[in-house]
Amino acid sequence: MSVLNITERIARFSFFSSYEHIKPASIEQLKKHLLDAVGSMLYSIKAPTVAKLFRQIGNLQASGPLVVPVLGSTGVDRAAQLYTLLVRYPDFMDNYLGKHATCHPSDNIGGILAACQAINASGRDFLTAMAIGYQVECTLIDQMPLMAKGIDHTALLAMSLTAALAPLYGLTPEQAAHAIGINASTFNTTVTTRASYTYEWKGYASSLVALGCTNTSLLAKEGVTGPVSYFEGPMGFKDEFDMDPEFNCAPGDFSRIEHCILKSYNAEVHTQSAIEALLDLKCKHGIKAADVKRIDATIFLTAYNIVGGGRYGDRKLVQTKEQADHSLPYLLAVAMLDGEVLPEQLLPERIRRPDVQALMEQVFVDTGLPLKAPRKVAEVLDPYTAPYPEKMPAKITIHLKNGEVVEEKKEDYKGFYTRPLEWEDVVNKFHLLGKDTIDGERRNELIAVIGNLENEPVSRLTDLLSKII
């Protein structure tokens, strides 16, 4: 018997996994993640950045079989693009942490939602596809930490989303392997979009993947072939990237879902424990921003590189939302001033105020060990880096003008898999994000549908969303 290529293994996992394989606890977790994602969608609908895509879709594809918020009708691929951007834009959605890279599993949701709307799928179909997308992407993040090679995590989304879409659109396993190979070899964007100076494309990148994967999956259904041996073949992934992924998940293995996490603060995921530590100190000691002389944040190497001024560049140049939510100095400064980090703290008028710009200059970020390279050495010797990603260590030290010094250390935060958000926590976050878009009655309808999604058609959800104008 011939050995299957990895694209074929991913396809087989997708086609031979079913709703019955998903543990009841994982079903409830998927619904929490979906409600969290739909909350982000509601908030995004009125965002100026998202309005640019609304205008473009209106110009390019103003009619089609699917009805979506604001626009009315459009095509399935544009719906996938729009839904994905609506989930992604606030950067308040879920994460999965690998040792050397992270991803947003909810990036899969927009493309799946459009597909389920197009085929009139059941809620169980949706939850199964969501579980497949989550398991595939999280497995690949563990085995293929592409961000360490300068490739964006959306490269892995291209494979996970295709795996989730293929059964919904009626591809065969063979066609699915071709589609996975096509998208894996096509969407290899660089991680530059997340480095400083950070631009709007950070929030847009996954939406283009959703648009493209929808198109190419349907082309594969028509018989278009692609590099099934993307990983193993000549000039393939293994040779070019010096990594050796396997993807040996047995059908129905959804074990990585339980390690997916949600955010409590509207900030890059690696900042969450540091923000919680600062807010605890502020509350415990009654600290006011005017009392603060200096703030020191000690964090793990991945956080330092992405949000602390390391490999991704200067994080004290902050003028836009995209810069603010990826700047630990800004986030700690605004948390000290406002006592929270929510979407309001990422509005341009808040970001550019002199109080936060000045305090940010007094925030200093470093790892627990001066040594930053070689990374493998830092991962062993640095007490903050070694436990990551099983823990997210952070220490905040606040130097007060009266000479007093206080500090707080965290190893996780509320929303991490060791301290997960409860359903009511996610409901409260959902109401917070959606309050300026639709009224409480309609928000409660959405909550009820998502809470009972295994017994509902997906059309119940998309019909409610389509009524938002």
Side-chain angles (χ1 to χ4, degrees):
M1 182 178 177
S2 61
V3 177
L4 295 175
N5 291 315
I6 290 178
T7 57
E8 295 170 319
R9 291 181 217 164
I10 295 172
R12 286 176 64 86
F13 170 79
S14 175
F15 278 83
F16 292 100
S17 295
S18 67
Y19 179 83
E20 286 68 30
H21 287 124
I22 311 173
K23 297 177 181 178
S26 294
I27 291 170
E28 295 309 308
Q29 185 174 353
L30 289 170
K31 291 191 289 187
K32 283 194 286 187
H33 283 245
L34 177 59
L35 182 63
D36 186 81
V38 174
S40 287
M41 292 176 74
L42 296 182
Y43 178 81
S44 298
I45 280 172
K46 295 185 177 181
T49 294
V50 176
K52 298 171 185 179
L53 182 60
F54 277 124
R55 289 195 295 271
Q56 187 201 53
I57 295 175
N59 290 331
L60 295 179
Q61 199 173 31
S63 62
L66 302 193
V67 182
V68 298
V70 180
L71 279 176
S73 63
T74 192
V76 64
D77 55 345
R78 295 290 177 175
Q81 181 185 21
L82 176 62
Y83 288 149
T84 304
L85 179 61
L86 290 173
V87 171
R88 179 65 182 81
Y89 168 73
D91 206 351
F92 208 173
M93 71 300 218
D94 63 16
N95 277 87
Y96 177 85
L97 305 179
K99 184 67 175 175
H100 300 294
T102 182
C103 65
H104 301 290
S106 56
D107 278 342
N108 290 277
I109 286 174
I112 295 169
L113 185 61
C116 287
Q117 186 177 5
I119 68 170
N120 196 27
S122 70
R124 292 190 175 204
D125 293 332
F126 179 93
L127 291 167
T128 304
M130 187 176 167
I132 290 167
Y134 273 48
Q135 180 70 16
V136 172
E137 186 170 12
C138 297
T139 300
L140 294 177
I141 277 288
D142 282 335
Q143 296 184 1
M144 300 164 57
L146 286 175
M147 293 179 77
K149 300 285 188 178
I151 303 298
D152 193 45
H153 56 68
T154 51
L156 306 182
L157 169 67
M159 291 178 263
S160 64
L161 179 56
T162 305
L165 294 178
L168 296 172
Y169 282 129
L171 279 68
T172 66
E174 181 181 1
Q175 291 169 335
H178 284 284
I180 292 166
I182 292 169
N183 290 325
S185 62
T186 300
F187 296 101
N188 280 301
T189 54
T190 67
V191 78
T192 311
T193 190
R194 303 184 197 282
S196 180
Y197 179 106
T198 310
Y199 296 90
E200 287 177 317
W201 193 250
K202 172 177 72 74
Y204 263 85
S206 57
S207 70
L208 187 65
V209 174
L211 171 74
C213 287
T214 301
N215 271 292
T216 50
S217 295
L218 293 171
L219 283 171
K221 185 179 180 180
E222 293 291 335
V224 174
T225 60
V228 173
S229 59
Y230 166 76
F231 291 93
E232 305 88 354
M235 302 301 292
F237 176 90
K238 291 188 176 184
D239 287 344
E240 297 304 308
F241 287 92
D242 193 28
M243 295 183 190
D244 194 25
E246 292 297 328
F247 197 87
N248 288 320
C249 292
D253 175 6
F254 293 122
S255 56
R256 281 176 169 83
I257 293 172
E258 62 196 48
H259 285 269
C260 292
I261 59 180
L262 294 169
K263 293 181 180 179
S264 288
Y265 309 104
N266 195 177
E268 200 274 344
V269 66
H270 297 108
T271 69
Q272 301 287 306
S273 52
I275 293 171
E276 184 180 271
L278 182 138
L279 290 174
D280 282 358
L281 277 176
K282 178 179 172 65
C283 180
K284 187 186 302 182
H285 297 279
I287 300 171
K288 297 180 181 178
D291 304 327
V292 175
K293 179 180 179 181
R294 174 188 174 113
I295 299 172
D296 288 311
T298 307
I299 54 177
F300 47 97
L301 186 57
T302 297
Y304 173 77
N305 281 332
I306 295 175
V307 296
R311 289 188 64 197
Y312 282 50
D314 179 21
R315 290 305 188 185
K316 288 193 175 180
L317 175 61
V318 178
Q319 293 292 314
T320 68
K321 173 199 176 298
E322 290 76 20
Q323 293 166 340
D325 65 27
H326 271 56
S327 166
L328 185 56
Y330 173 82
L331 294 163
L332 293 177
V334 82
M336 176 56 68
L337 286 159
D338 295 1
E340 59 188 8
V341 182
L342 297 172
E344 289 77 6
Q345 279 65 53
L346 302 179
L347 296 173
E349 56 268 27
R350 181 65 192 103
I351 293 168
R352 296 169 188 172
R353 273 171 46 188
D355 61 347
V356 71
Q357 290 289 326
L359 185 56
M360 178 172 58
E361 294 299 323
Q362 306 310 313
V363 179
F364 300 90
V365 182
D366 207 346
T367 56
L369 188 74
L371 180 73
K372 308 291 190 294
R375 185 183 179 101
K376 288 184 178 180
V377 175
E379 286 174 352
V380 173
L381 298 181
D382 183 355
Y384 286 78
T385 300
Y388 176 83
E390 286 75 26
K391 297 178 181 179
M392 291 182 65
K395 181 176 73 174
I396 298 297
T397 306
I398 300 178
H399 302 259
L400 300 173
K401 291 176 181 177
N402 65 6
E404 187 181 357
V405 178
V406 295
E407 68 178 33
E408 180 82 14
K409 184 174 181 181
K410 294 280 182 178
E411 292 191 335
D412 59 9
Y413 70 93
K414 188 174 182 180
F416 200 62
Y417 74 89
T418 52
R419 277 200 288 148
L421 295 182
E422 301 298 332
W423 177 256
E424 285 307 312
D425 296 320
V426 183
V427 166
N428 291 337
K429 181 178 173 183
F430 178 84
H431 283 302
L432 173 75
L433 289 170
K435 61 184 172 60
D436 294 329
T437 302
I438 56 174
D439 60 34
E441 181 178 350
R442 288 192 291 169
R443 294 198 302 272
N444 286 331
E445 286 186 271
L446 284 166
I447 293 166
V449 169
I450 293 170
N452 190 44
L453 191 61
E454 66 271 37
N455 300 310
E456 302 274 10
V458 173
S459 60
R460 283 288 311 281
L461 175 57
T462 54
D463 285 352
L464 289 170
L465 292 173
S466 71
K467 292 181 172 65
I468 302 173
I469 58 174

